[in-house]
Amino acid sequence: SGPKSASSRIYTARFPSMFEMYEELAGDQEDAVESMENMYEKAQKLQEKLDEMALEMRRAEEIDWQQKQEIEDALKTQKEIQEEMEEFSEKLDEMISNMEKNDLVSAETMKKYEELQQLVQEIMSPELQQAMEKVSEAMRNLDQKMVQKALEEFKLTQEDLNKSLDRSIALMKKLKMEQELDQAVRMAEDLLERQEQIQENMESKEQSSERSASEQEKINKDVDNLSQQLDELNKEMNDMPGMPQEQIAEAQSQLSDEEFKKQLEQMQQNMESGEMGQNQQMSQNVQQQMQNALEQLQQAKSSMSGAMQRQMMQAMKQATNNLLQLSKQQENLMRQTQGMPKNSPQISELAEKQNNMSAALSRTLDQMFQASKQNVFMSSKIGQSLGKASSSMQKSQQQFEERN
């Protein structure tokens, strides 16, 4: 007997590489966009049903069983959308937390994701919940007029929800591209640093040729991965104006160049055979081409940020000018109608002008909404202000209709 020795199994901890973390993030982003699109599709169908129900309620003198059932189904569907939104918001929080924890995006892009997170949380507004409660209360009382009014409010708040979902989807797709460009820059930086490290190790002979060959093989594979990702990113940008596709295509061309890839493969083969001395010049050439690709990606990132800012400012300037002109026209129209008899032959002509101004305002509102889908920092207060302007003009139009 006596003391005995025992051996313990040695475990090696393996941490995911930068490329693997980005691959997981890409999957999370695809799932997020798909979830939002599914919710939007369901919300659109609900909106169509609410439009039909509101029209039927205007015509009906009392609520029948079928209408009651349809309203209950609509409330149930909206509750399902709310639950899906809450679940999605939690997953988005988790994804953003993961990006921040692993430093996967730039500070600028992270700020935009946080703004998107806030927008998503605001989609399920208190106004929508109140509108649903009013419909439920009216249904309990079986008051046709009360139900009609509550249903109209519910319809309007549902329209706001659909617009917010539409904007969130567009912004998420845009941010996904920004993040992918951030990712490409960081991956290019990582590749260049690793290639420089291999050359330093070759010169100092601090690392075996076998180890260097293994590292070079990983770099070669990651170069192919980055080249493929840039090609896919360029295709995603096809439907969006003002994107830096030229710079991204040039970076991708640098990394997919046949001579460049041959040099990478030859360097690996030389390391495997122990002929390290032949690699110095090729390594310098490879590093220069990696540097060129990195610079193109950095320019693309800067260009993309500037383009979005210019688009927003241009849209804001155009909308502001349109609103000023419409406001002046509205004031002039109101002065013309002061003291004018109801049976004046000019009323019809002025009413037509009012309709034209209302149509112009609707176009301005749509332009602003489209612009808001391109920039996460465009405040919702701007939309609210424009909404008030639209409401005011609609009231003026209604006054003309009543006089005519």
Side-chain angles (χ1 to χ4, degrees):
S1 61
K4 296 181 180 179
S5 63
S7 60
S8 299
R9 182 176 296 179
I10 298 174
Y11 293 92
T12 303
R14 180 185 178 277
F15 297 97
S17 68
M18 177 191 293
F19 284 67
E20 289 170 332
M21 287 191 289
Y22 278 130
E23 188 175 6
E24 182 181 354
L25 176 59
D28 291 342
Q29 289 175 322
E30 289 289 346
D31 291 343
V33 171
E34 184 178 355
S35 294
M36 287 289 281
E37 288 179 334
N38 289 338
M39 281 186 282
Y40 181 60
E41 183 179 355
K42 184 183 288 188
Q44 284 284 81
K45 289 180 179 178
L46 176 58
Q47 181 66 57
E48 292 171 4
K49 189 62 182 177
L50 287 173
D51 289 341
E52 293 175 8
M53 289 161 54
L55 184 60
E56 289 173 1
M57 289 299 297
R58 293 191 201 109
R59 296 170 178 169
E61 295 182 0
E62 60 181 25
I63 304 171
D64 60 28
W65 181 89
Q66 183 178 350
Q67 289 172 327
K68 183 174 181 293
Q69 189 62 45
E70 287 178 348
I71 293 173
E72 289 176 353
D73 289 344
L75 291 172
K76 182 181 177 182
T77 300
Q78 182 54 60
K79 189 173 181 181
E80 290 173 358
I81 294 173
Q82 280 182 303
E83 291 172 353
E84 290 174 15
M85 277 301 306
E86 289 170 2
E87 183 180 349
F88 171 79
S89 182
E90 290 175 3
K91 289 182 178 179
L92 181 62
D93 290 349
E94 185 179 339
M95 185 179 77
I96 292 173
S97 176
N98 180 53
M99 286 191 290
E100 187 172 23
K101 176 183 175 183
N102 295 301
D103 194 26
L104 296 179
V105 295
S106 67
E108 179 185 2
T109 303
M110 176 55 69
K111 179 65 176 174
K112 292 178 182 179
Y113 267 105
E114 289 170 352
E115 290 289 329
L116 174 64
Q117 184 182 31
Q118 182 66 31
L119 175 63
V120 168
Q121 291 172 351
E122 291 174 355
I123 287 178
M124 305 310 298
S125 66
E127 290 80 9
L128 177 59
Q129 186 62 41
Q130 291 167 9
M132 292 173 65
E133 290 172 358
K134 285 182 181 179
V135 173
S136 297
E137 183 182 353
M139 290 291 292
R140 287 193 295 270
N141 296 330
L142 292 177
D143 185 321
Q144 194 273 344
K145 289 186 178 179
M146 189 175 175
V147 171
Q148 180 181 344
K149 182 180 178 182
L151 199 60
E152 289 288 348
E153 290 183 17
F154 183 25
K155 185 169 75 76
L156 291 174
T157 53
Q158 183 65 33
E159 288 175 2
D160 291 338
L161 180 143
N162 287 2
K163 283 189 174 182
S164 294
L165 279 174
D166 187 18
R167 184 189 178 203
S168 296
I169 291 169
L171 289 171
M172 191 170 294
K173 289 179 179 179
K174 192 99 173 184
L175 279 181
K176 180 175 177 290
M177 284 192 289
E178 284 192 58
Q179 180 275 319
E180 287 171 344
L181 189 50
D182 272 353
Q183 169 184 329
V185 170
R186 292 188 176 207
M187 290 168 71
E189 290 172 340
D190 180 66
L191 286 170
L192 181 56
E193 288 174 6
R194 287 157 60 192
Q195 192 66 60
E196 289 172 345
Q197 187 62 52
I198 286 182
Q199 182 169 354
E200 289 179 13
N201 292 338
M202 285 192 300
E203 293 172 353
S204 63
K205 298 182 180 179
E206 292 181 358
Q207 184 170 280
S208 67
S209 59
E210 292 83 0
R211 180 67 182 275
S212 295
S214 176
E215 293 294 329
Q216 188 64 56
E217 182 181 14
K218 291 177 184 177
I219 289 175
N220 295 355
K221 287 181 180 178
D222 288 342
V223 165
D224 288 339
N225 288 336
L226 179 54
S227 177
Q228 183 178 351
Q229 288 177 24
L230 291 176
D231 185 50
E232 292 172 357
L233 177 58
N234 221 2
K235 290 175 182 177
E236 286 180 34
M237 291 181 170
N238 281 337
D239 297 329
M240 294 195 177
M243 293 292 100
Q245 290 179 282
E246 186 176 341
Q247 292 99 324
I248 292 173
E250 178 58 32
Q252 196 269 340
S253 176
Q254 293 278 341
L255 297 177
S256 61
D257 178 69
E258 286 299 323
E259 184 60 31
F260 172 71
K261 295 177 74 172
K262 284 180 182 178
Q263 288 183 325
L264 288 173
E265 292 171 3
Q266 186 62 52
M267 287 169 62
Q268 180 185 338
Q269 292 173 10
N270 290 344
M271 293 172 194
E272 290 171 344
S273 61
E275 300 174 356
M276 306 282 281
Q278 301 181 26
N279 280 358
Q280 187 170 3
Q281 184 59 50
M282 281 191 290
S283 181
Q284 291 176 356
N285 294 341
V286 163
Q287 288 175 47
Q288 183 58 55
Q289 202 142 340
M290 287 180 174
Q291 180 66 43
N292 293 342
L294 173 59
E295 289 174 1
Q296 288 293 330
L297 292 174
Q298 289 170 334
Q299 290 177 22
K301 183 179 174 182
S302 176
S303 175
M304 186 175 185
S305 179
M308 289 190 295
Q309 186 68 20
R310 287 193 297 273
Q311 288 173 7
M312 184 186 75
M313 294 302 295
Q314 185 177 359
M316 285 288 296
K317 183 178 179 180
Q318 183 65 47
T320 301
N321 289 338
N322 289 346
L323 283 176
L324 286 173
Q325 291 177 11
L326 288 170
S327 177
K328 290 177 181 178
Q329 291 174 19
Q330 183 71 64
E331 289 175 5
N332 183 50
L333 198 62
M334 294 302 291
R335 282 197 299 269
Q336 286 181 271
T337 59
Q338 284 181 354
M340 185 177 289
K342 284 187 177 182
N343 59 354
S344 171
Q346 288 183 286
I347 287 292
S348 297
E349 180 184 344
L350 295 177
E352 184 177 352
K353 287 183 179 180
Q354 181 67 59
N355 289 338
N356 292 337
M357 283 191 288
S358 296
L361 179 62
S362 295
R363 289 193 295 271
T364 299
L365 290 171
D366 185 62
Q367 288 169 1
M368 286 297 297
F369 177 67
Q370 296 304 321
S372 75
K373 290 165 67 174
Q374 303 301 320
N375 194 300
V376 73
F377 291 116
M378 186 170 285
S379 171
S380 59
K381 292 181 180 179
I382 296 173
Q384 292 170 1
S385 298
L386 289 172
K388 289 179 181 178
S390 175
S391 177
S392 175
M393 195 163 286
Q394 286 173 358
K395 287 180 181 178
S396 298
Q397 181 179 354
Q398 187 176 2
Q399 290 175 3
F400 275 113
E401 291 174 352
E402 290 173 354
R403 295 186 65 176
N404 190 16

